[in-house]
């Protein structure tokens, strides 16, 4: 009897994992606050990035402020491969990254090990 | 708290349990038994393992999972099951949770150091920059920070000092060690009018130079920017790991549940044993090894290239180099020195030279420069020319003393006839790899001028190396077939495509691409279209005029042998990437079934602590393998292609 309960519980757990990690879930998106010919977004690093998608206006100098709350060494760098940026973000510190907004498009960023991703949309 | 501190705490509180485990066969027990284990492990969990759990939870809430998820679930399962077992009087395995935490942290401590090591190349480049410059201001030289140097400033450099920015010498001579930027090991002699590169070291003399590139425009700054970009670029092969890593952790969790189910429900193992297998699966799986395999190798490979004066732009280029079958060279300035000189004059030398020099005076063509230099040497002064006109693709014509004069290449021969003597002379000169220019006056060819652009001293060796690598070599040139073939013979080129107009070089490269991937080697300024058309564009630089935008690989030094070194380095780096990936995959593919107890019948199992140790060293070994790329011997002679 107990084995049947365990079996059902485990199958349910597998189903939950599939739904939780692979199901469609909305990601947090933030529009940059534009002030006086500059725009900036604050991004918190904690088990991933919030927001995960940042929308910037083309042609206005932009800065992203990354603050790492997470202790994991998985998240200790922010890498923009398109811009050649590889910035270390020490825990509980804020690092500012300048983004070149001259060309519209989608630019991915990732953690140092390419496990977590976020993207900047310039339009 | 830093990872190092967390590691030490985990180690200190795990050690008594390790000692206890080792002494158990001798009947010596840890005082306090299971309760001591509970106390020690609780400290390890609260202090050292808690950040894993916090991080895992934070990413779980965002529908993400990472390595911390696995470590957190593995250690927490071991810990809480043991707590339950302790209260119900069953055997416990607290030490697994503590040991796994210790090993994982140990791996991370090393890994962090190795990763810093892997990315240090750029920092080293940036640190080359001089801090101060002696600038001429208000009538005398004063030392100011480099950031305050302005364009056009006159800067004095004494022996032993670093040259602060790029510029041109206005006074004085010296020899300069440029190895840190160009990779050129011999000091370079410099005099007034020569370009100097910022961050290089002045050896012997004192000189003054005028700054013409500062800040982000300097060669060093451009190299740093390029290397940074290359180090963080993606290789196409990475798509594979991206796909795997996005499903890796959830897949491992499912595998662990299945493992537990099979052991507990179907085989009928005890709850504790089934859990141990499941925990081992979670702990041994290592997504980090996969994630680190490519970026770290790319970082070290491109960083090492920069030190050798070989700038590889990105991972894509690195991967493309692997399939290159044919290397195409531009002739002038790439295989040859690029400074043509007049070697022979057939006919009345003074008269021939005078006509040629008069017509060519306004031209900037390299052949014209050679003719004018020879005329000056022979003290022949050019005469004024009227009705000057360029004849498309053939040469130039004009009125000289009331007669029509013409200078041009062999395409003129459709309009003119040569004497038998002249034809013989032409053929002889062309077979000697000399370009022949025809000089005509009043509808008659009166003389020939032979011009030669000698191959660089290193060209032959460079081509021999490429051939040993099994590559086909091709030379593209606008020169005529006979001259081109003579040069090809001197340096050892397989195929010659002569008579190609500058605009058609890209088309010729495209033609060659039908037989396989092509690398094109050119000077970056005139050959930009061909460089982009080729699968791999290799731009040769010389001094400060590096066309950094063209070409996937930029050679800072103007040495053809670097083509071979660049190919060797690219291949080495790419094969290291493949080795890392193979190792990371095979590790997980073998490790997970072993941990799951698939080979239990053969007596092959892994406890969670050993699984943790294996996982810590799998990612460490990948990073170490990348860092070792710095020391790997480059197979530049191409013995094994």
């Amino acid at each position: 009897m107990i084995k049947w309960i365990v079996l059902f519980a485990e199958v349910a757990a597998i189903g939950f994992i599939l739904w939780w990690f692979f199901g469609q879930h909305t990601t947090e998106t933030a529009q940059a606050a534009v002030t006086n010919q500059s725009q900036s977004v604050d991004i918190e690093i904690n088990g991933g990035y919030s927001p995960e998608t940042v929308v910037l206006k083309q042609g206005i100098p932009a800065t992203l402020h990354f603050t790492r709350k997470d202790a994991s060494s998985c998240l200790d760098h922010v890498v923009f491969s398109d811009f050649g940026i590889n910035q270390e973000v020490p825990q509980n510190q804020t690092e500012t990254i300048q983004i070149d907004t001259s060309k519209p498009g989608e630019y991915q960023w990732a953690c140092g090990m390419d496990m977590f991703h976020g993207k900047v949309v310039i339009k | 708290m830093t990872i190092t501190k967390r590691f030490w705490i985990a180690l200190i509180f795990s050690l008594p349990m390790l000692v206890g485990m080792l002494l158990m066969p001798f009947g010596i027990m840890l005082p306090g038994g299971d309760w001591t284990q509970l106390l020690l492990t609780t400290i390890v969990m609260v202090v050292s393992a808690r950040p894993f759990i916090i991080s895992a939870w934070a990413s779980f809430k965002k529908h993400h999972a990472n390595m911390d998820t696995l470590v957190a679930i593995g250690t927490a399962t071991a810990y809480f099951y043991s707590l339950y077992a302790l209260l119900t009087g069953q055997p416990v395995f607290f030490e697994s949770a503590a040991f796994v935490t210790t090993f994982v942290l140990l791996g991370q401590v090393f890994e962090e150091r190795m990763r810093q090591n892997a990315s240090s190349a750029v920092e080293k480049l940036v640190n080359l920059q001089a801090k101060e410059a002696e600038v001429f201001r208000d009538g005398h030289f004063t030392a100011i920070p480099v950031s305050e140097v302005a364009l056009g400033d006159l800067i004095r450099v004494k022996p032993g000092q670093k040259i602060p920015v790029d510029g041109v010498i206005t006074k004085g001579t010296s020899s300069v060690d440029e190895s840190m930027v160009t990779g050129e090991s011999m000091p370079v002699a410099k005099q007034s009018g020569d370009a100097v590169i910022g961050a290089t070291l002045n050896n012997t003399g004192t000189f003054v130079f005028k700054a013409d590139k500062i800040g982000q425009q300097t060669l060093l700054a451009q190299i740093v920017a390029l290397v940074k970009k290359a180090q963080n670029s993606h290789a196409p092969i990475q798509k594979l790991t991206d796909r795997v890593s996005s499903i890796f952790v959830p897949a491992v969790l499912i595998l662990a549940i299945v493992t537990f189910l099979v052991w507990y429900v179907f085989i009928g193992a005890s709850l504790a044993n089934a859990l141990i297998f499941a925990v081992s699966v979670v702990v041994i799986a290592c997504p980090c090894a996969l994630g680190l395999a490519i970026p770290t190798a790319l970082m070290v490979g491109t960083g090492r290239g920069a030190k050798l004066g070989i700038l590889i732009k990105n991972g894509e280029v690195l991967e493309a180099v692997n399939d290159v079958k044919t290397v195409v060279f531009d002739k002038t300035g790439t295989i040859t020195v690029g400074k043509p000189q007049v070697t022979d004059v057939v006919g009345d030398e003074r008269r021939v030279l005078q006509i040629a020099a008069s017509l060519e005076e306004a031209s900037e063509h390299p052949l014209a420069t050679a003719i004018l230099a020879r005329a000056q040497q022979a003290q022949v002064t050019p005469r004024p020319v009227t009705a000057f006109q360029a004849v498309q693709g053939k040469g130039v014509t004009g009125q000289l003393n009331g007669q029509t004069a013409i200078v041009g290449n062999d395409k003129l021969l459709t309009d003119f006839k040569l004497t038998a003597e002249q034809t013989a002379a032409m053929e002889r000169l062309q077979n000697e790899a000399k370009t022949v220019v025809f000089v005509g006056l009043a509808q008659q060819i009166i003389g020939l001028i032979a011009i030669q652009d000698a191959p660089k001293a290193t060209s032959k060796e460079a081509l021999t190396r490429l051939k040993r690598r099994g590559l086909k070599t091709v030379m593209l040139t606008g020169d005529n077939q006979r001259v081109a073939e003579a040069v090809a013979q001197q340096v050892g080129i397989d195929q010659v495509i002569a008579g190609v107009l500058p605009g058609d070089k890209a088309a010729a490269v495209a033609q060659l691409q039908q037989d396989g991937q092509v690398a094109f080697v050119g000077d970056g300024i005139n050959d930009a279209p061909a460089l982009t058309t080729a699968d791999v564009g290799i731009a040769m630089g010389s001094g400060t005029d590096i066309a950094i935008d063209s070409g996937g690989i930029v050679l800072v030094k103007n040495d053809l042998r670097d083509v071979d070194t660049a190919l060797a380095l690219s291949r080495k780096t790419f094969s290291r990437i493949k080795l890392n990936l193979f190792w990371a995959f095979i590790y997980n593919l073998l490790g997970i079934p072993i941990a799951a107890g698939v080979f239990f019948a053969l007596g092959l199992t892994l406890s969670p602590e050993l699984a943790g140790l294996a996982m810590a060293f799998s990612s460490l070994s990948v990073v170490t393998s990348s860092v070792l790329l710095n020391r790997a011997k480059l197979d530049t002679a191409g013995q094994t292609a």
Side-chain angles (χ1 to χ4, degrees), chain B residues 41 159 180 239 279 367 409:
Chain B
T41 307
M180 53 294 277
K239 291 207 182 82
V279 168
L367 295 184
N409 57 26

Side-chain angles (χ1 to χ4, degrees), chain B residues 453-517:
Chain B
D453 184 11
K456 287 180 202 161
T458 53
S459 292
K460 188 170 181 168
E461 190 194 335
L463 285 157
T464 314
R465 284 192 195 175
L466 291 176
K467 255 202 233 157
R468 242 184 275 161
R469 203 173 270 287
L471 296 169
K472 184 180 158 194
T473 51
V474 177
M475 184 169 82
L476 269 189
T477 175
D479 258 348
N480 83 45
Q481 190 79 26
R482 214 177 275 143
V483 176
E485 257 162 25
V487 174
Q489 195 124 48
Q490 283 178 15
V491 296
I493 288 247
D494 295 331
Q495 189 191 338
V496 171
I497 302 176
V500 184
L501 295 175
D504 295 340
K505 278 184 186 167
V509 168
Q511 186 75 29
L512 287 164
Q513 274 173 325
Q514 289 173 356
D515 303 332
Q517 302 230 335

Side-chain angles (χ1 to χ4, degrees), chain B residues 19 32 39 45 102 120 159 203 270 467 494 517:
Chain B
V19 173
L39 180 71
M45 289 299 286
T102 310
S120 63
N203 275 347
S270 71
K467 255 202 233 157
D494 295 331
Q517 302 230 335

